[in-house]
Amino acid sequence: MAALSIGYQIHFHFNPPNLLPLPTKFSSLSFTAKHPLRWHHIGCPKICAPPAVSVMAFGSSREVLPPALDSSSEPPAIFDGTPKLYISYTCPYAQRTWIARNYKGLQEKIKLVPIDLKNRPDWYKEKVYPANKVPSLEHNNEVKGESMDLIRYINSNFEGPSLFPDDPSKREFAEEMFSHFDSFYKAVISSFKEDTVNDAIAAFDSIETALSKFVDGPFFLGTFSLVDIAYAPFIERFQPFLLDVKNFDIATGRSKLAAWIEEMNQIEAYTVTKRDPKELLESYKKRFLSQV
Ligand SMILES: N[C@@H](CCC(=O)N[C@@H](CS)C(=O)NCC(=O)O)C(=O)O
């Protein structure tokens, strides 16, 4: 059975209102093929008839994530026709593709194959992706790589909501932001090794300006898009490191960036891919401070 549980927004319509707060009294709610709605109520030994509630699927799926495959693991059924996204749970480039796949609701269509990069299985390089990096996507008997190409590919070649608006001015700005990524990344990383955070300040000022361009929403292109996906995994890592090590809070005095971070944290397709900030901080400290 697929290890998948579906999230629901539950609207309680109880009368009289003094019965509230009822949500705490309900232990779980689940759907099965036989019983479309099972309502488990604490204090009710059996499955009870649901009270007056409406339950609305909000279209997101919380997956049980598979364990990462290592050198002792058998390969999945490569080229069996099932699209597969090879990732590492800790890689920000892979995270981009994982977010795109989640946002488009492709959890059941594109199988997630996590790889342990520190103890990589030989078959990954030999049979799947000779570049031996993540992410890679197996689709239509081909394996493609490069996160920026893959998020565009996933957006264009699979069903689900579009992550790239039609508006030509937004598309043009998206391309600008994609090109800007490398210099943003380099500026922030270089500040890790310097005494001042001037480069990082300038880099985040440029993000604040970019976020001010479209006013029809808190995201880079107004609505959530590939641009947010391209930047989010990196900002997720830069923020705790700059705060802890450089005492630089990227969101202070940058209201658009602060709002963007808040809104990103409402997007489940993204939040399920996030790592513990403490773990990210430790891994960045190991990576960047030991080289100083
Ligand atoms: N430009 C690539 C970068 C991918 C990349 O560097 N992935 C890292 C993990 S975060 C990797 O696979 N490293 C393994 C290696 O370089 O051997 C992309 O955007 O997909």
Side-chain angles (χ1 to χ4, degrees):
M1 191 161 109
L4 187 73
S5 77
I6 301 170
Y8 297 92
Q9 280 177 354
I10 305 172
H11 300 268
F12 291 82
H13 308 290
F14 290 98
N15 203 8
N18 64 6
L19 282 175
L20 295 173
L22 275 165
T24 54
K25 292 190 180 175
F26 291 91
S27 56
S28 69
L29 177 68
S30 63
F31 281 75
T32 67
K34 260 191 178 168
H35 306 279
L37 177 63
R38 283 165 172 256
W39 188 261
H40 301 260
H41 178 213
I42 293 168
C44 171
K46 290 191 203 134
I47 292 161
C48 308
V53 294
S54 66
V55 179
M56 188 176 81
F58 55 79
S60 59
S61 307
R62 190 159 292 151
E63 270 181 302
V64 174
L65 298 175
L69 303 182
D70 66 15
S71 61
S72 68
S73 310
E74 289 297 313
I78 302 162
F79 299 125
D80 66 344
T82 302
K84 295 180 200 68
L85 183 60
Y86 296 88
I87 62 159
S88 143
Y89 287 130
T90 55
C91 172
Y93 300 98
Q95 193 180 349
R96 286 172 167 168
T97 60
W98 183 13
I99 300 166
R101 169 242 194 208
N102 291 350
Y103 192 82
K104 288 179 77 73
L106 299 167
Q107 287 86 342
E108 286 182 85
K109 186 121 196 183
I110 303 182
K111 188 177 150 88
L112 210 56
V113 185
I115 301 286
D116 178 353
L117 282 181
K118 294 207 175 98
N119 183 15
R120 255 170 276 189
D122 292 341
W123 51 256
Y124 183 62
K125 180 177 174 155
E126 287 161 10
K127 298 193 174 139
V128 179
Y129 189 45
N132 205 15
K133 291 187 178 203
V134 289
S136 73
L137 177 73
E138 177 193 325
H139 184 225
N140 289 342
N141 282 323
E142 271 183 66
V143 177
K144 296 175 163 53
E146 288 304 318
S147 59
M148 288 308 301
D149 297 338
L150 288 181
I151 60 174
R152 288 176 192 256
Y153 182 89
I154 291 169
N155 186 47
S156 311
N157 290 277
F158 290 89
E159 74 257 20
S162 172
L163 283 160
F164 207 49
D166 291 331
D167 179 339
S169 67
K170 291 194 172 183
R171 283 185 166 238
E172 194 187 328
F173 187 62
E175 296 302 340
E176 252 178 64
M177 291 308 295
F178 294 153
S179 312
H180 177 66
F181 178 79
D182 281 352
S183 61
F184 166 73
Y185 179 84
K186 282 185 192 132
V188 177
I189 296 289
S190 74
S191 79
F192 289 177
K193 296 169 196 156
E194 286 160 14
D195 292 338
T196 72
V197 281
N198 289 345
D199 287 347
I201 289 173
F204 281 102
D205 284 346
S206 76
I207 294 294
E208 182 73 4
T209 305
L211 285 167
S212 314
K213 173 133 176 131
F214 295 105
V215 293
D216 55 333
F219 299 105
F220 283 101
L221 305 182
T223 52
F224 185 67
S225 77
L226 295 180
V227 181
D228 305 293
I229 292 178
Y231 281 78
F234 296 88
I235 295 179
E236 178 185 330
R237 283 157 179 77
F238 296 158
Q239 186 178 25
F241 183 84
L242 287 167
L243 186 61
D244 185 275
V245 176
K246 301 284 184 184
N247 199 23
F248 168 42
D249 183 350
I250 61 169
T252 297
R254 293 186 187 82
S255 59
K256 302 278 179 196
L257 179 58
W260 180 82
I261 292 169
E262 208 175 309
E263 290 300 325
M264 282 301 301
N265 285 325
Q266 305 302 316
I267 298 210
E268 198 190 13
Y270 166 61
T271 56
V272 296
T273 70
K274 281 180 75 175
R275 307 295 299 180
D276 177 353
K278 283 195 201 107
E279 178 199 321
L280 292 176
L281 174 63
E282 287 319 308
S283 108
Y284 258 39
K285 275 183 173 173
K286 238 186 237 164
R287 188 168 150 201
F288 293 105
L289 296 185
S290 56
Q291 293 169 13
V292 177

